[in-house]
Amino acid sequence: MGAYILRRLLLIIPTLIGIMVVNFALTQFVPGGPVEQVLANLQGEGDVFETITGGQADAGSTNAADNGAYQSEYAGARGLPPEFIADLERQFGLDKPPLERFLTMMWNYMRFDFGESYFKSEGVLDLVWDKLPVSISLGLWATLISYLVSIPLGIRKAVKDGSKFDTWTSGIIIAAYAIPSFLFAIMLLVLFAGGSYWQIFPLRGLTSPDWDQMSLLGKIGDYFWHITLPVLASVISSFATLTLLTKNSFLDEIRKQYVVTAKAKGLPESRVLYGHVFRNAMMIVIAGFPGLFLGVFFGGSVIIETLFSLDGLGRLGYEAALARDYPVIFGTLFFFGLIGLLIGILSDLMYVFVDPRIDFERRDT
């Protein structure tokens, strides 16, 4: 097992490099950049994409001819001296060739030096650690609720396979799976956050402004009061997959010979189900816990955090992409990629933990 883990850990390096190469290459062809963002802000245009398409120039600008080469690349640079733009490029490190910039970036990342945000004047690692608790809260609670609801429901559906209960619950969870998370989140806001009907839950944030002055029980209650709607919006689509996976896994085990033998010996159905079937059937479900958490953690975080005004990693990445804040974009990408690859290894180890008979070691035949 040790050799298998070592191989997987070593494979992380080329995989991460491949992820970073593809995304770094894509940014070289995407219009806009940090320089364009600064120029758009200086000229009060507000939207960098207007400068990319060559928005309205100042007819009275006398420096347009002097900016020749720079205007072809930075359409919003009219009226600004070339020296100023060249200085901006040096500050952002864009005056160097792409290959040199990529190699320097990867060398720094291998030492976990993610640099500093272009526009927030704060280290990328500090930004990630500051936003991480919000995203972990959403991912962890959404995953736990999914398991607490889907596993008992899946077992019940397996026992009642083909019944009206099985049919109706399948229809409900499949319908819920078909609802996009952002649409369900908007519906929750409209219904329960003062949109048009009831003002039951807060509209934004994870805590109230006076959270520091609350008692311990008050803080706990306030936290769950704020996180209820975002978590519900996050789990809506995860029930179907996990419930049907649990049901099918139990059905496969129930039909095996050892279950028939146990029932023939007169053992109660509950003992057969939870004493014999449960461990074998739950192997694939429990082993998939890290992957499900990762999917909830990354999958809907951008939309949910934006709609509920939660300051988490998803929103950080979204804002960085809009602002072309390359250190934050690539730093979070490297960080998320590393976590995803480690979670993949953890998922394999979970299989071995649940069923020691599984062995990933390579053997000669």
Side-chain angles (χ1 to χ4, degrees):
M1 192 64 188
Y4 171 78
I5 296 175
L6 181 60
R7 288 197 303 270
R8 290 291 301 271
L9 290 174
L10 292 176
L11 281 174
I12 288 178
I13 298 176
T15 305
L16 267 180
I17 292 176
I19 293 173
M20 299 304 294
V21 166
V22 171
N23 287 274
F24 185 85
L26 288 176
T27 59
Q28 308 307 307
F29 301 100
V30 175
V35 174
E36 286 89 340
Q37 289 289 337
V38 174
L39 296 177
N41 290 331
L42 287 175
Q43 299 208 352
E45 299 185 15
D47 189 353
V48 67
F49 296 104
E50 294 179 7
T51 67
I52 296 171
T53 56
Q56 294 296 326
D58 183 1
S61 174
T62 59
N63 295 329
D66 297 333
N67 291 342
Y70 290 95
Q71 286 185 13
S72 63
E73 184 177 358
Y74 303 111
R78 296 176 176 85
L80 295 174
E83 295 79 8
F84 175 76
I85 300 175
D87 185 59
L88 280 178
E89 289 184 328
R90 282 193 296 271
Q91 292 181 30
F92 292 130
L94 300 177
D95 57 327
K96 300 175 182 177
L99 180 59
E100 181 180 349
R101 285 189 281 122
F102 176 78
L103 293 177
T104 302
M105 180 184 70
M106 291 304 301
W107 170 246
N108 291 333
Y109 285 2
M110 291 301 178
R111 297 179 292 141
F112 289 93
D113 178 11
F114 296 101
E116 187 173 296
S117 169
Y118 285 158
F119 304 108
K120 295 181 180 291
S121 299
E122 190 174 351
V124 173
L125 199 57
D126 294 333
L127 284 172
V128 170
W129 284 118
D130 185 50
K131 316 297 183 185
L132 194 60
V134 175
S135 297
I136 288 180
S137 293
L138 287 177
L140 184 61
W141 287 115
T143 304
L144 288 177
I145 292 175
S146 297
Y147 269 80
L148 290 176
V149 173
S150 298
I151 290 178
L153 179 60
I155 295 174
R156 185 68 176 174
K157 284 173 65 62
V159 174
K160 300 290 185 180
D161 183 43
S163 65
K164 291 183 178 180
F165 172 82
D166 181 39
T167 303
W168 280 102
T169 52
S170 295
I172 293 173
I173 62 174
I174 291 174
Y177 180 78
I179 300 175
S181 59
F182 77 90
L183 186 61
F184 187 66
I186 293 173
M187 184 184 71
L188 292 176
L189 289 173
V190 171
L191 291 177
F192 303 112
S196 299
Y197 295 90
W198 303 283
Q199 179 68 56
I200 300 176
F201 296 97
L203 184 61
R204 58 177 57 89
L206 276 185
T207 56
S208 299
D210 59 341
W211 191 79
D212 292 333
Q213 284 73 45
M214 295 181 181
S215 63
L216 178 60
L217 291 178
K219 290 181 177 179
I220 295 175
D222 183 74
Y223 168 76
F224 283 107
W225 181 48
H226 280 77
I227 206 172
T228 298
L229 295 186
V231 169
L232 287 177
S234 299
V235 302
I236 183 65
S237 62
S238 61
F239 287 130
T241 302
L242 189 56
T243 300
L244 296 178
L245 178 64
T246 304
K247 175 192 172 182
N248 294 332
S249 181
F250 267 79
L251 283 177
D252 290 340
E253 292 295 324
I254 288 174
R255 294 164 179 167
K256 290 184 178 179
Q257 186 61 43
Y258 76 92
V259 177
V260 177
T261 303
K263 290 181 178 180
K265 291 182 178 179
L267 293 178
E269 183 178 358
S270 59
R271 184 175 177 183
V272 174
L273 189 63
Y274 294 101
H276 297 274
V277 177
F278 186 82
R279 178 171 179 173
N280 294 330
M282 288 302 297
M283 182 182 70
I284 188 172
V285 178
I286 295 176
F289 180 88
L292 179 63
F293 171 74
L294 190 67
V296 176
F297 185 75
F298 294 132
S301 61
V302 176
I303 298 174
I304 300 302
E305 290 174 12
T306 301
L307 288 175
F308 289 95
S309 299
L310 301 177
D311 199 11
L313 289 176
R315 191 175 178 185
L316 173 67
Y318 173 72
E319 293 175 349
L322 289 182
R324 301 298 194 269
D325 196 344
Y326 291 155
V328 176
I329 293 174
F330 291 122
T332 53
L333 180 65
F334 182 89
F335 186 74
F336 290 161
L338 181 60
I339 290 179
L341 293 171
L342 291 176
I343 288 291
I345 299 176
L346 181 60
S347 297
D348 290 345
L349 296 179
M350 286 290 290
Y351 280 104
V352 178
F353 176 77
V354 174
D355 189 352
R357 294 172 298 177
I358 296 177
D359 188 0
F360 292 105
E361 293 291 346
R362 181 185 300 171
R363 289 181 172 82
D364 295 331
T365 58

